[in-house]
Amino acid sequence: MATHKLFVDDFDDASYLLFAIHCRLEDYRLVYYLNKVLDLQMRRCSYDVDFEYLKASFPLYEWENVQHDVKWTLVGNICKKEEDGIFSSGTLFNTTIKNIKTFQLIPEMQQVDYFLKVENDHHPIQQRLILDKINSIPQVAAAYEVDACDLKSRENLIFS
């Protein structure tokens, strides 16, 4: 009997653009500005992106433009979670120590705050225009395009 091998890389077509955004705004405020400058209607999804067996969750905003067959997705890259630390019973005061752990959706890009994913199969997208509009937001420190094929953990960008 013949053995058939199926390579996952055969199905890895980058039919989307990925933009990295450096911005210290809260996610809902950034979405407000993105909706305003890009004329979008992104809304918070009813679910978050859970990662590493519910250790971390990342906010997810989506909008599908049916007229142009384009899907816009914004996801946070950084999740800070407070966990109980080591408690020493020999201390004078009974205080609990809290540790803040930081998780990244894409660990190889630790400094990026958000990723904007634009999925479109049919029409070319004007990357330069999108970047110019994102960078026009005063609170955005930097925005640039990322080649998703170069990311080791690009499977974390599959949300459905």
Side-chain angles (χ1 to χ4, degrees):
M1 178 181 255
T3 304
H4 298 284
K5 291 184 180 179
L6 182 65
F7 295 103
V8 177
D9 291 340
D10 295 341
F11 298 102
D12 187 27
D13 61 338
S15 62
Y16 60 89
L17 293 175
L18 187 65
F19 299 101
I21 301 174
H22 295 266
C23 178
R24 293 295 175 190
L25 285 175
E26 294 291 329
D27 49 62
Y28 61 90
R29 294 205 42 169
L30 178 62
V31 169
Y32 169 78
Y33 288 119
L34 289 174
N35 284 345
K36 190 174 177 182
V37 298
L38 294 172
D39 195 27
L40 305 176
Q41 296 174 11
M42 280 194 290
R43 301 214 186 278
R44 178 91 186 241
C45 292
S46 60
Y47 57 92
D48 287 342
V49 178
D50 292 328
F51 185 61
E52 289 187 12
Y53 304 109
L54 303 176
K55 281 186 182 177
S57 64
F58 303 92
L60 185 67
Y61 293 82
E62 287 183 336
W63 179 56
E64 189 166 352
N65 187 343
V66 180
Q67 291 177 337
H68 299 291
D69 196 25
V70 179
K71 185 175 182 181
W72 299 78
T73 308
L74 181 83
V75 64
N77 188 41
I78 298 173
C79 174
K80 293 186 179 184
K81 197 166 192 180
E82 187 176 277
E83 294 181 351
D84 291 331
I86 299 172
F87 179 74
S88 176
S89 62
T91 61
L92 182 60
F93 302 105
N94 287 334
T95 58
T96 58
I97 299 171
K98 299 287 185 182
N99 292 332
I100 296 177
K101 288 195 173 185
T102 303
F103 299 94
Q104 284 87 18
L105 184 67
I106 307 294
E108 55 268 23
M109 300 194 76
Q110 294 180 6
Q111 302 301 320
V112 175
D113 297 311
Y114 299 98
F115 287 104
L116 180 65
K117 181 179 173 184
V118 183
E119 298 176 65
N120 184 7
D121 292 331
H122 307 292
H123 305 289
I125 298 175
Q126 300 173 347
Q127 300 100 302
R128 189 76 236 150
L129 181 64
I130 293 172
L131 282 175
D132 288 342
K133 288 183 177 184
I134 294 172
N135 282 318
S136 72
I137 300 171
Q139 293 85 353
V140 171
Y144 50 89
E145 188 175 356
V146 176
D147 188 6
C149 295
D150 294 340
L151 298 176
K152 293 178 188 175
S153 53
R154 65 181 170 264
E155 68 273 359
N156 295 344
L157 295 171
I158 301 171
F159 304 124
S160 47

